[in-house]
């Protein structure tokens, strides 16, 4: 059966031995279809190249994809989106940007969004969020919409491609830099503890300490959220210790800026009395005062890579690996120095 727009639901029904009504239910993401039947119908839809009427129309002028991020006012999201938009423009693909809904998103919300995507002719989805669980991605899979996730907090469902950075190596490099400067009492301020990327950065940090015979006592380790406000809270707790750390590695730049803000309020000089390293390498790191030393992940290239992988998925080509990691790089600026 050729993979053209002429493929019909009747063709799929005949090929799979089920009714047209069942095929229609699968296309529209209905839940009242046995899992084995759904898998068989979805496989036939993919192999045939079938596209619903709403999905076919945009193909005449270019693919249309949805891109969801947690916030439009964060340096992380805007840098990632710059890569997405640059790559979609180069490929002739249109991107519709929206918000994930974060921790307030529900399976019902996602089912509605997925159905609107099908009806609106969207071809696939890129998601960058720290909040989505597997069940929130399921409605898109049920409708046969390819998904690529960027730095998802939890492991994505089988078959969903994820784009990330070498978080473990980046955490290790940050700690190695501080140790090389002579620091031995080094704190860690992390984001959401269940986040895979947060854990990878933390364990890379611990590996470097262990390699030099150092440890991170519980009093020097904080996990909370990736927000600047939590960096301020953690900074307050660390600086209140009888023996404060001389250096701190933060799991993202916003946390680092929060720690620096608290140090500034207390008159604790950075880096004279406290060295600080962030992670992400956003424009906020470059523009802070002093300029933040940060493990840079290639956010723009991660966005571009997500677009390339998604368009390949839409065309029926699957990547060799479902997890792609781009290299990080420590960029030393003005917030790290030998202990005073």
């Amino acid at each position: 059966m050729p993979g053209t727009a002429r493929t019909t639901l009747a063709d799929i029904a005949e090929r799979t031995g089920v009714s047209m009504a069942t095929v229609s239910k699968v296309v529209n993401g209905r839940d009242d279809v046995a899992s084995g039947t759904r898998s068989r119908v979805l496989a036939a839809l993919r192999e045939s190249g079938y596209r619903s009427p709403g999905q076919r129309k945009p193909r005449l002028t270019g693919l249309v994809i949805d891109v969801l991020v947690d916030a439009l006012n964060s340096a992380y999201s805007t840098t990632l989106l710059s890569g997405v938009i640059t790559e979609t423009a180069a490929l002739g693909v249109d991107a519709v940007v929206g918000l994930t809904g974060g921790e307030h998103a529900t399976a019902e919300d996602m089912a509605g969004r997925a159905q609107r995507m099908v009806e609106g002719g969207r071809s696939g989805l890129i998601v960058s969020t720290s909040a989505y669980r597997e069940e929130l991605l399921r409605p898109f899979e049920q409708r046969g919409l390819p998904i690529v996730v960027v730095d998802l907090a939890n492991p994505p469902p089988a078959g969903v491609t994820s784009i990330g950075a070498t978080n473990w190596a980046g955490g290790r490099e940050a700690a190695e830099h501080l140790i090389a400067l002579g620091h031995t009492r080094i704190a860690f301020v992390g984001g959401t503890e269940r986040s895979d990327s947060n854990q990878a950065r933390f364990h890379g940090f611990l590996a470097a300490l262990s390699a030099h015979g150092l440890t991170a006592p519980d009093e020097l380790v904080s996990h909370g959220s990736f927000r600047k406000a939590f960096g301020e809270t953690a900074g307050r707790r660390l600086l209140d210790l009888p023996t404060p750390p001389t250096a701190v590695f933060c799991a993202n730049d916003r946390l680092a800026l929060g720690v620096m803000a608290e140090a500034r309020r207390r008159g604790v000089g950075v880096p004279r009395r406290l060295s600080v390293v962030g992670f992400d390498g956003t424009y906020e790191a470059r523009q802070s005062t002093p300029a933040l030393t940060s493990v840079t992940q290639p956010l723009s290239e991660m966005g571009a890579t997500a677009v390339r992988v998604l368009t390949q998925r839409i065309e029926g080509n699957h990547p060799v690996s479902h997890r792609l990691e781009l290299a990080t790089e420590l960029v030393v600026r003005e917030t790290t120095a030998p202990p005073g």
Side-chain angles (χ1 to χ4, degrees), residues 8 24 28 31 34 60 70 81 91 99 110-111 119 126 142 189 194 197 199 215-216 218 229 260 276 296 298 327:
T8 66
S24 178
N28 287 287
D31 294 326
L60 300 176
D70 283 343
L81 285 172
L91 295 175
L99 297 176
M110 294 303 100
E119 294 171 355
I126 294 172
Q142 290 175 340
V189 175
R194 62 180 171 80
S197 59
Q199 285 298 313
T215 61
D218 289 345
M260 289 167 60
V276 182
T296 299

Side-chain angles (χ1 to χ4, degrees), residues 85-98:
I85 300 305
T86 299
E87 189 65 17
T88 53
L91 295 175
V93 175
D94 291 323
V96 178
V97 178

Side-chain angles (χ1 to χ4, degrees), residues 23-111:
V23 176
S24 178
K25 287 180 181 180
V26 173
V27 169
N28 287 287
R30 291 271 295 275
D31 294 326
D32 52 340
V33 179
S35 59
T37 301
R38 180 186 304 279
S39 298
R40 193 163 72 252
V41 172
L42 284 174
L45 290 168
R46 286 192 296 267
E47 291 167 6
S48 69
Y50 174 84
R51 300 177 68 79
S52 70
Q55 287 175 300
R56 290 175 204 151
K57 190 175 179 181
R59 287 292 298 275
L60 300 176
T61 55
L63 299 176
V64 182
I65 64 172
D66 273 22
V67 184
L68 301 181
V69 295
D70 283 343
L72 295 175
N73 61 348
S74 77
Y76 178 99
S77 293
T78 54
T79 307
L80 184 77
L81 285 172
S82 72
V84 169
I85 300 305
T86 299
E87 189 65 17
T88 53
L91 295 175
V93 175
D94 291 323
V96 178
V97 178
L99 297 176
T100 63
E103 296 178 354
H104 302 294
T106 66
E108 292 75 18
D109 294 334
M110 294 303 100

Side-chain angles (χ1 to χ4, degrees), residues 278-300:
F279 200 109
D280 284 342
T282 60
Y283 59 78
E284 290 176 322
R286 298 189 298 273
Q287 295 174 358
S288 68
T289 304
L292 177 64
T293 294
S294 181
V295 177
T296 299
Q297 55 177 332
L299 293 172
S300 182

Side-chain angles (χ1 to χ4, degrees), residues 20 25 93 105 122 131 141 179 184 214 245 267 288 333-334:
M20 282 182 57
K25 287 180 181 180
V93 175
R122 311 289 201 266
E141 290 187 286
I179 293 166
T184 57
L214 301 175
S288 68
R333 297 191 178 95
E334 300 171 352

